[in-house]
Amino acid sequence: MAARPQESSLPDNLQRGIEAVSREYPQRSIEVTVVSGNWVAISLGIFSIAEYGGNPDHDEVELFVRVPKTFPNGNCKGFGACPPLKKVLQGSVNQNASWDPEVQSAVQEVRSDSVEFYSWTWEGVEPSTPDDLLVSMDLAKRMLKEA
Amino acid sequence: MALIEHLDTTKSVSRSASLGGDEARTNRLVDAEEFHVSVPESVENKLDTALSPNRGPNAHKGERGAICLISESCGRRRITYNIVDVLMPVKYGEDDEREDDVQIDHDASFGGFLTFNDRYLNEARRKAYEMDGDIGLLIVHTHGAGASPSGPDNKSDREDLYATKKKLGDVPVAAGIHGDSDGAWHIRGYEFNVARTQAQEASNDFGIHTEETEEATAIRVVGDQTRKLMTTATSEKMGPKGVNGRANRDLQNSTDGLWGQKGQECIAGLRVGIVGCGGVGGILAEWTARLGAGELVLVDFDRLELANFNRSQGATRSDIDEKRLKVEVAARVAEASATADEFHSRKVIGSVCEADRPAYDVLPDLLDCDVILNAADTHWARQVLNDIAYAHNLHVIDGGTILDVDADDVLTPNSQSNIAVAGPKHPCLHCSGMWTHTGMGEDMTHPDHRGYVNNGDGQQDRAPSVISMNGLVASLVLQRFQAIALGVAPEMTTGALRYQPHDATLRWRKDGLDELNSCKADCSETPDIGIGDSVNLDRGEDPELTRDIDDGSLPEPADLPVESSDVTETTAAPTDTHSSREKSLSHRVVDFVRNIASGLLPN
């Protein structure tokens, strides 16, 4: 399968990581949404809010992971949501929102909808191989549950 | 054999394309100003065994030979062929009918001469093909007397190497001879217009007869130390293009009792890269020039400002007023301080992290260097330089300081200066604690959007820095440079050194209870050693550079003369030895202007 235009311009390691996630989650549409400077936002697909007990205003949310083009080197930090997440109890926008506004606005432009990025980290996980991008899916789900 | 015939020659992209479109970079051997060979010490030892008359697979043969896998590092002016590995030839027992890999053939006019059999050549080509990147072959053998190639050598080398290029694509190929009697090396790289289509086969512009060769003028051996070996093409005192340079004895008599004239000429034969020309780098520029380096390649894109003045070596108030580029000031200071007779400095505006904007890509300039000193205090720069060190067989000596005070303004144990060395046979800069993934990620993010605590007015707090600590770091970096280049302090070459000013302790960093003499067991941070331009460096768009470009404060590199225009005058009166040295026109113009300024000539 030919790589998507933006994907083909990315370093080999990151392309391999994206392929690994796509292979592991064939039902999801894993795609590079934007490349902004040294950072890449990858869509992890659509998630059912009810399944994860989150945002009361929407049924579904698209989640993004923000990784450096140099993946697995560099610091992986940041996940995004479209539409933005709201805390269930307070009904308020999460703290640490609008993190890395450059990537956020780039994704927003592509999606033509409200997008927010959060400084959700890969705490305890130090990726060292392209396949370690698989971890992003679990981290994204955890953010939906706990954020 | 069948597999080799079907190797996919499209795997190897053309070298000009693999260079990211940077046309200013040298990518054709015969057009390069310099051609060197590099080899990690461990691989040199293996080659030594292969070519030994007393041990190894060629023992007791009159001539010995071996095939090496090589990669290429394309600098701005220098091309280096890196020996990645040696493929040991097989010698079968006397009762075995199979043919040894290394054969002595006979020729009516020359007598016996060495050849490699097809099995060995094809095995080498297969290994080269299976490695990632553009890997080619260097075929070497010994000669009893001297290292000059004979007629049959030239013929068989040319045929073997043309066939290699035809099978593997546009990969580096070379042939070498090692003289038994004098230990001399002769290494020549080959270029061909390889015929790949029927039309090209029929054309006179393609084929084995289009051969062009270039002889290497130095071999850099990289292990605990950096050693440059002469070849048959090396002239005495040709500077960094060769092995040694012209050292002015009158200016260096204080080091006579340390490493002597020979050591001083060795330093004068080194081109040293200095990355970052700020607090530490500015000092290194002056001290390295004063120590006697033959050439400096100075890298930075930043300008001086008032807040830098208290630690900018040699900077004047007018430099601040004019917001001069740090490389300009560093070059001026270095040239005024240089003790090597034919010193040059090269000013390079850009960043080691930058790959997206070729005009600011400094990698080609760094690949012209023999050793790199890093004073750029970012995790990302260190990560990139670390990979350069291993992939291109270059020592990178890295130094930096973190200062931290408590509520009473007393230095805490977190304050530290770290000095480490990266490159073959050394622990990587990640294992040495010089960079982290978190820090690298911060450096890759736009300065306005980093996780740093701002000082309330939207500006980041400037990291504390003081010239006293910068001087200490520069001193330790330079002492390690001396240890690596001259072997004067073997204990100073390997490991990570830490100075903590709060209790004035200097210690080697540990890996558990042991000294950190190699990478930690779980290290995965270094690329394959010596793979040259095939390495995937984790570079991109340096956001600090972006800010300066957006501010309009950065000139196009073309707007700044990048190299000192001529031989820099030494600071003492010329001796008899040098009085006859011709000065070029531009040098005389500089003298003329200086004389006018000092009132020696009528204005």
Side-chain angles (χ1 to χ4, degrees):
Chain A
M1 189 180 82
R4 284 175 285 275
Q6 281 186 315
E7 247 183 74
S8 61
S9 67
L10 295 175
D12 291 347
N13 278 340
L14 185 52
Q15 288 191 49
R16 281 199 281 269
I18 294 167
E19 281 165 20
V21 180
S22 299
R23 224 175 16 249
E24 185 71 15
Y25 299 96
Q27 75 282 14
R28 294 199 171 277
S29 174
I30 311 296
E31 63 171 27
V32 174
T33 310
V34 296
V35 177
S36 173
N38 299 309
W39 299 93
V40 180
I42 302 164
S43 172
L44 298 175
I46 308 294
F47 293 74
S48 159
I49 295 286
E51 192 180 335
Y52 298 99
N55 198 333
D57 295 345
H58 302 279
D59 295 332
E60 292 181 329
V61 65
E62 182 179 11
L63 294 184
F64 306 89
V65 59
R66 169 191 178 271
V67 292
K69 277 200 282 192
T70 57
F71 185 89
N73 280 325
N75 187 33
C76 296
K77 186 176 176 183
F79 285 82
C82 175
L85 298 175
K86 290 185 177 177
K87 284 188 176 174
V88 179
L89 294 178
Q90 294 93 333
S92 61
V93 176
N94 283 281
Q95 288 183 341
N96 304 322
S98 295
W99 188 78
D100 194 343
E102 283 189 352
V103 170
Q104 177 175 294
S105 61
V107 174
Q108 193 155 293
E109 200 170 308
V110 172
R111 285 289 177 267
S112 304
D113 200 353
S114 291
V115 175
E116 244 175 23
F117 270 73
Y118 314 101
S119 59
W120 193 258
T121 68
W122 287 42
E123 199 176 343
V125 182
E126 190 151 304
S128 59
T129 68
D131 283 5
D132 289 341
L133 192 60
L134 283 166
V135 179
S136 63
M137 192 64 80
D138 292 334
L139 289 166
K141 290 174 185 172
R142 206 173 111 200
M143 183 176 77
L144 271 187
K145 282 182 188 168
E146 299 176 10
Chain B
M1 186 72 176
L3 174 86
I4 291 297
E5 293 302 331
H6 291 96
L7 289 183
D8 176 10
T9 56
T10 59
K11 175 195 168 220
S12 175
V13 296
S14 80
R15 275 175 284 159
S16 54
S18 71
L19 296 174
D22 181 3
E23 293 175 1
R25 195 168 166 187
T26 298
N27 56 35
R28 200 164 167 270
L29 185 63
V30 292
D31 295 332
E33 288 178 27
E34 298 175 8
F35 171 38
H36 285 189
V37 171
S38 87
V39 57
E41 200 172 70
S42 57
V43 177
E44 186 205 25
N45 291 339
K46 199 170 170 184
L47 184 58
D48 214 31
T49 302
L51 301 182
S52 167
N54 306 315
R55 58 197 164 95
N58 285 307
H60 313 305
K61 286 186 173 171
E63 284 190 9
R64 285 86 55 201
I67 303 178
C68 306
L69 305 178
I70 57 171
S71 71
E72 186 176 47
S73 297
C74 293
R76 184 83 58 200
R77 296 173 187 173
R78 174 188 291 177
I79 285 184
T80 305
Y81 283 3
N82 312 297
I83 305 180
V84 184
D85 200 2
V86 181
L87 193 63
M88 282 295 190
V90 177
K91 179 182 168 64
Y92 296 100
E94 285 184 8
D95 297 336
D96 199 312
E97 290 182 352
R98 286 174 291 181
E99 189 182 61
D100 286 353
D101 283 347
V102 177
Q103 296 287 312
I104 305 294
D105 287 350
H106 294 277
D107 179 275
S109 25
F110 285 91
F113 66 94
L114 181 143
T115 60
F116 300 110
N117 70 14
D118 284 347
R119 189 213 73 83
Y120 187 34
L121 275 164
N122 283 332
E123 179 65 12
R125 289 170 186 144
R126 183 206 308 269
K127 292 254 185 204
Y129 177 76
E130 286 173 353
M131 286 185 72
D132 280 341
D134 295 341
I135 305 295
L137 302 186
L138 162 69
I139 52 181
V140 294
H141 72 279
T142 62
H143 267 187
S148 301
S150 64
D153 287 339
N154 282 331
K155 183 171 179 294
S156 66
D157 289 345
R158 190 169 57 229
E159 287 169 356
D160 291 343
L161 296 176
Y162 184 78
T164 299
K165 278 225 181 213
K166 192 145 192 177
K167 289 172 194 297
L168 294 181
D170 194 11
V171 297
V173 293
I177 296 171
H178 185 247
D180 276 342
S181 56
D182 55 6
W185 274 103
H186 168 99
I187 297 181
R188 61 196 184 284
Y190 282 75
E191 298 273 12
F192 303 96
N193 287 335
V194 178
R196 301 199 184 281
T197 64
Q198 281 190 337
Q200 288 174 347
E201 293 282 5
S203 165
N204 203 37
D205 296 334
F206 296 86
I208 195 167
H209 62 278
T210 61
E211 153 208 342
E212 290 180 274
T213 63
E214 191 67 37
E215 287 185 40
T217 51
I219 302 171
R220 186 174 68 241
V221 183
V222 184
D224 287 327
Q225 300 170 29
T226 288
R227 290 181 285 127
K228 287 175 85 176
L229 308 179
M230 296 181 90
T231 71
T232 51
T234 316
S235 304
E236 279 291 335
K237 300 183 179 60
M238 69 195 304
K241 182 176 180 179
V243 171
N244 53 26
R246 294 186 190 282
N248 187 323
R249 194 157 206 154
D250 291 340
L251 294 175
Q252 288 291 355
N253 63 11
S254 74
T255 60
D256 261 2
L258 295 171
W259 46 75
Q261 181 74 359
K262 199 174 168 191
Q264 205 57 53
E265 287 170 358
C266 168
I267 298 176
L270 295 176
R271 183 180 294 128
V272 181
I274 297 180
V275 178
C277 294
V280 174
I283 297 173
L284 282 173
E286 175 174 341
W287 290 5
T288 311
R290 225 173 260 285
L291 188 68
E295 186 172 337
L296 296 185
V297 174
L298 301 161
V299 175
D300 206 319
F301 59 84
D302 217 0
R303 287 184 183 278
L304 281 170
E305 52 183 284
L306 202 57
N308 306 137
F309 190 60
N310 66 351
R311 57 193 185 284
S312 297
Q313 185 86 354
T316 63
R317 290 285 187 143
S318 69
D319 292 329
I320 304 294
D321 294 343
E322 298 289 328
K323 291 190 185 309
R324 290 213 166 87
L325 287 159
K326 289 177 179 175
V327 288
E328 284 187 284
V329 175
R332 185 188 71 212
V333 171
E335 286 169 20
S337 314
T339 58
D341 267 3
E342 295 175 356
F343 176 82
H344 286 72
S345 67
R346 194 190 304 179
K347 291 168 277 195
V348 185
I349 304 170
S351 160
V352 292
C353 304
E354 184 62 44
D356 292 0
R357 291 162 291 206
Y360 299 102
D361 176 2
V362 304
L363 179 63
D365 295 285
L366 292 178
L367 296 184
D368 286 350
C369 297
D370 300 300
V371 179
I372 296 170
L373 311 181
N374 178 45
D377 211 2
T378 74
H379 294 257
W380 193 11
R382 291 188 165 113
Q383 192 270 351
V384 172
L385 285 167
N386 181 75
D387 286 3
I388 290 172
Y390 293 92
H392 295 283
N393 283 341
L394 272 170
H395 278 133
V396 171
I397 309 174
D398 179 29
T401 297
I402 299 165
L403 292 175
D404 179 56
V405 292
D406 63 17
D408 298 323
D409 290 342
V410 174
L411 289 168
T412 73
N414 292 331
S415 297
Q416 55 192 251
S417 297
N418 294 295
I419 300 92
V421 180
K425 224 180 167 189
H426 292 264
C428 76
L429 295 181
H430 190 261
C431 290
S432 296
M434 303 300 282
W435 69 272
T436 65
H437 286 277
T438 306
M440 180 183 168
E442 290 286 288
D443 294 334
M444 292 170 72
T445 306
H446 191 282
D448 295 341
H449 305 142
R450 289 176 183 163
Y452 299 153
V453 177
N454 286 342
N455 61 11
D457 61 1
Q459 299 293 308
Q460 283 170 32
D461 284 332
R462 188 180 292 275
S465 179
V466 60
I467 195 166
S468 55
M469 294 299 292
N470 294 342
L472 183 133
V473 171
S475 173
L476 288 169
V477 166
L478 218 48
Q479 286 186 55
R480 300 198 73 172
F481 168 74
Q482 289 166 195
I484 281 168
L486 298 167
V488 292
E491 298 298 318
M492 279 283 281
T493 56
T494 311
L497 200 54
R498 171 170 290 176
Y499 175 73
Q500 289 179 290
H502 84 288
D503 60 356
T505 53
L506 187 62
R507 295 189 187 92
W508 290 104
R509 298 196 69 183
K510 301 271 187 183
D511 177 17
L513 295 174
D514 300 323
E515 282 189 358
L516 185 75
N517 288 329
S518 59
C519 277
K520 297 175 180 175
D522 60 349
C523 175
S524 60
E525 298 298 342
T526 55
D528 291 335
I529 290 175
I531 59 169
D533 292 333
S534 300
V535 67
N536 287 315
L537 293 175
D538 288 324
R539 301 190 299 159
E541 177 185 316
D542 186 334
E544 298 277 0
L545 182 65
T546 303
R547 187 168 58 178
D548 283 11
I549 292 171
D550 291 347
D551 287 352
S553 63
L554 206 56
E556 285 293 323
D559 294 341
L560 185 77
V562 294
E563 188 156 7
S564 54
S565 57
D566 195 45
V567 175
T568 304
E569 194 176 26
T570 49
T571 49
T575 63
D576 287 344
T577 317
H578 308 290
S579 57
S580 61
R581 181 158 57 90
E582 273 192 36
K583 290 180 177 176
S584 74
L585 177 62
S586 57
H587 199 171
R588 287 198 295 270
V589 169
V590 171
D591 282 353
F592 183 73
V593 173
R594 282 180 184 157
N595 289 337
I596 289 174
S598 60
L600 296 176
L601 291 171
N603 196 344

